[in-house]
Structures are given as structure tokens and as C-alpha cells.
Amino acid sequence: MSPPADGTAARVASAASELEQLELDAMIVDSPFDLRYLTGFTGSNGLALLRAAEAGSEQPDRFLTDFRYTAQSAAEVDPAFERSTVTGELRDAVPALLEGSEGSASTRPS
């Protein structure tokens, strides 16, 4: 699998800017179509936590998947996303990420 095209970074920056204009701190992306567009990931189980342009300066954008897609996400997901492998439901790991806590037992960096 090849890494995502250079347009990925521009799409993420555009979405982050739009979030800031809407006065939103972050957005969860879990639709496979939208995940592919924003991150380059083509698998069927992934989630991206995208932060607003201003909020993103403190915390990186995150990409979550389960153990089945660890290698695939390493090859496909734009390196600007910090990747984690989650045990359990992907959405259950989001609150800890929003708080900036990596200490959750349900995630580990990929």
C-alpha cells in the first residue's frame, strides 16, 4: 500500500480551519469514505479525531484503529496523525484523548 497523496495535509488543514471558524474544538470522523479522504486509510475500522486549527497546536490529530489494521494504518495514514491501536470500541477511547490523557488502558501508540 502506498502512503497518502500530498493533498491529504491540505484537506486536513482545510477541515481544521473550518472547525475553528465554526467555533468547534474537534471533530470525530468515522465514515470510511471520509476517513479515506482525510487520512488515506482504506480499512473498514478506523476513527480520526481532528482538532480545530487553534486547538490543534496543543494536541495532535489522532487516528485510532484495532489490532487488525495496525500495519495497514502505518502504511496508509498520513504521518501528521498520531496513530493508536485500541482494544475495545474506538469511540470509547475518545474521551481520554480529548482530555489529553494517553494513560487509558484501552489505547497504545502504533
Side-chain angles (χ1 to χ4, degrees):
M1 310 242 167
S2 61
D6 290 11
T8 302
R11 290 189 292 269
V12 170
S14 177
S17 178
E18 185 70 23
L19 286 173
E20 187 173 10
Q21 289 177 7
L22 293 170
E23 298 181 6
L24 298 172
D25 293 331
M27 166 175 72
I28 295 172
V29 179
D30 63 356
S31 157
F33 178 79
D34 294 331
L35 276 175
R36 184 170 187 174
Y37 179 77
L38 286 173
T39 69
F41 182 66
T42 63
S44 63
N45 192 31
L47 181 145
L49 175 62
L50 186 66
R51 302 201 183 251
E54 187 174 305
S57 62
E58 298 171 14
Q59 297 287 330
D61 293 326
R62 301 294 300 267
F63 179 83
L64 309 176
T65 192
D66 64 46
F67 71 94
R68 300 171 298 167
Y69 296 105
T70 301
Q72 181 178 348
S73 67
E76 293 180 347
V77 173
D78 188 288
F81 285 87
E82 188 173 301
R83 293 178 302 103
S84 294
T85 301
V86 175
T87 55
E89 294 295 321
L90 300 181
R91 287 182 180 258
D92 291 345
V94 171
L97 297 176
L98 289 172
E99 295 171 3
S101 165
E102 184 60 40
S104 171
S106 64
T107 66
R108 64 180 171 82
S110 299

